[in-house]
Amino acid sequence: MNGFSSEERAAPFTLEYRVFLKNEKGQYISPFHDIPIYADKDVFHMVVEVPRWSNAKMEIATKDPLNPIKQDVKKGKLRYVANLFPYKGYIWNYGAIPQTWEDPGHNDKHTGCCGDNDPIDVCEIGSKVCARGEIISVKVLGILAMIDEGETDWKVIAINVDDPDAANYNDINDVKRLKPGYLEATVDWFRRYKVPDGKPENQFAFNAEFKDKDFAIDIIKSMHDYWKALVTKKTDGKGISCMNTTVSESPFKCDPDAAKAIVDALPPPCESACTIPTDVDKWFHHQKN
């Protein structure tokens, strides 16, 4: 175990719901800024935001102090991704690599679009369904360059190092060989997942082809550099909360008591059972172009 744990506040599937991260001492930390990008040499930490097969669009709240995980809201309503036939919710464990940032002020040379202002996204393809707020260690295998409403939104493909088959996966071609159809389904999912909300299909750079592990790691390292500039105030984050408890060179660093005060001011965890709206289970059928 890596010593990280999580704590829920308020009820899941409500506007108030939050998941805070804690270190091995039980002190509150930011999953965006305080969890190290590297778990080991060439192994990255991943913050799991959405367990596989679930629909609630949970994400690190970049603008909230301590950046807890919360459910995304659009026009006052909690967001759920549709079950786009034949997929059930998210088709991988979905989350982000900490200490990375897709800078909206940087025009990406590969895509011609600026960053989406979030940590870099990860699709974890192992067999275990992870828990929301779980911190896992992953091997990076490749990357997809999605363009989402004019913004660059990289999607890293990775596998949990604790997966029984992890040793067999070392690059993107291993995924093609050992999980036939999975990468094609991944492109299809990302292309169409906003269509049920009345949005156009998403676009991709590189003709929607996955780039390999070395390319992916170079992209992640550049996003780590953008994050460093953000957290040390060399770049203006324009509303992003950089409050952290570990980054010594950051002017936003605070002590554990200040972090605790933020969580203590919020509603306690919800004891009652919380239900997801039933229409989240609907199938959505859409003619592929």
Side-chain angles (χ1 to χ4, degrees):
M1 286 299 291
N2 53 29
F4 298 110
S5 60
S6 63
E7 181 180 304
E8 296 182 313
R9 288 295 171 124
F13 320 118
T14 66
L15 292 167
E16 297 75 32
Y17 178 71
R18 301 289 184 273
V19 180
F20 286 90
L21 270 290
K22 298 193 283 191
N23 64 15
E24 69 285 349
K25 295 179 184 163
Q27 296 165 326
Y28 295 106
I29 58 170
S30 160
F32 188 1
H33 306 302
D34 290 320
I35 293 171
I37 178 172
Y38 291 106
D40 207 341
K41 187 181 185 307
D42 292 334
V43 176
F44 293 87
H45 277 128
M46 171 182 171
V47 181
V48 177
E49 298 165 318
V50 185
R52 188 171 79 239
W53 309 141
S54 66
N55 300 75
K57 192 174 192 309
M58 299 280 177
E59 55 190 26
I60 289 170
T62 55
K63 296 186 173 172
D64 293 7
L66 293 181
N67 316 111
I69 295 168
K70 71 176 183 183
Q71 192 166 352
D72 191 22
V73 177
K74 276 276 155 72
K75 296 179 180 163
K77 291 181 71 172
L78 294 164
R79 277 187 74 190
Y80 297 87
V81 303
N83 299 304
L84 198 58
F85 186 85
Y87 312 121
K88 167 65 181 95
Y90 286 72
I91 60 173
W92 348 255
N93 294 300
Y94 191 68
I97 296 179
Q99 297 188 338
T100 64
W101 181 52
E102 297 204 45
D103 183 351
H106 173 78
N107 193 303
D108 191 283
K109 68 180 184 209
H110 302 291
T111 63
C113 298
C114 294
D116 74 347
N117 208 22
D118 283 321
I120 197 165
D121 296 321
V122 192
C123 305
E124 191 280 317
I125 64 168
S127 54
K128 176 189 167 190
V129 175
C130 294
R132 187 185 310 138
E134 192 174 344
I135 309 301
I136 62 173
S137 300
V138 298
K139 274 165 83 167
V140 166
L141 304 171
I143 197 165
L144 177 68
M146 190 176 97
I147 299 166
D148 182 353
E149 297 180 36
E151 294 178 331
T152 302
D153 193 1
W154 293 100
K155 306 296 180 187
V156 174
I157 305 298
I159 190 164
N160 191 337
V161 294
D162 293 334
D163 190 271
D165 294 329
N168 298 325
Y169 291 86
N170 297 295
D171 213 324
I172 199 69
N173 285 330
D174 296 323
V175 186
K176 292 176 185 168
R177 184 170 54 86
L178 296 168
K179 291 185 183 281
Y182 202 6
L183 294 179
E184 293 83 350
T186 294
V187 171
D188 185 46
W189 194 99
F190 279 121
R191 192 187 300 283
R192 301 192 296 132
Y193 83 102
K194 287 189 171 178
V195 170
D197 300 327
K199 296 272 180 73
E201 291 187 351
N202 283 319
Q203 305 299 308
F204 302 89
F206 307 119
N207 202 25
E209 285 169 12
F210 288 82
K211 304 304 266 185
D212 67 10
K213 170 189 178 173
D214 290 342
F215 187 102
I217 287 174
D218 282 346
I219 295 289
I220 295 164
K221 284 177 175 172
S222 66
M223 300 303 156
H224 182 53
D225 290 339
Y226 296 138
W227 168 81
K228 274 187 197 156
L230 171 73
V231 82
T232 55
K233 215 173 178 179
K234 292 184 174 72
T235 305
D236 179 5
K238 295 191 173 97
I240 284 188
S241 173
C242 292
M243 183 181 189
N244 68 83
T245 65
T246 58
V247 186
S248 53
E249 62 273 30
S250 170
F252 305 103
K253 183 171 184 259
C254 71
D255 63 35
D257 289 340
K260 184 174 185 297
I262 282 168
V263 185
D264 286 348
L266 296 173
C270 174
E271 298 303 325
S272 58
C274 307
T275 54
I276 297 185
T278 51
D279 62 353
V280 171
D281 288 333
K282 269 193 336 198
W283 278 126
F284 186 84
H285 296 269
H286 164 236
Q287 191 68 44
K288 293 186 196 183
N289 291 341

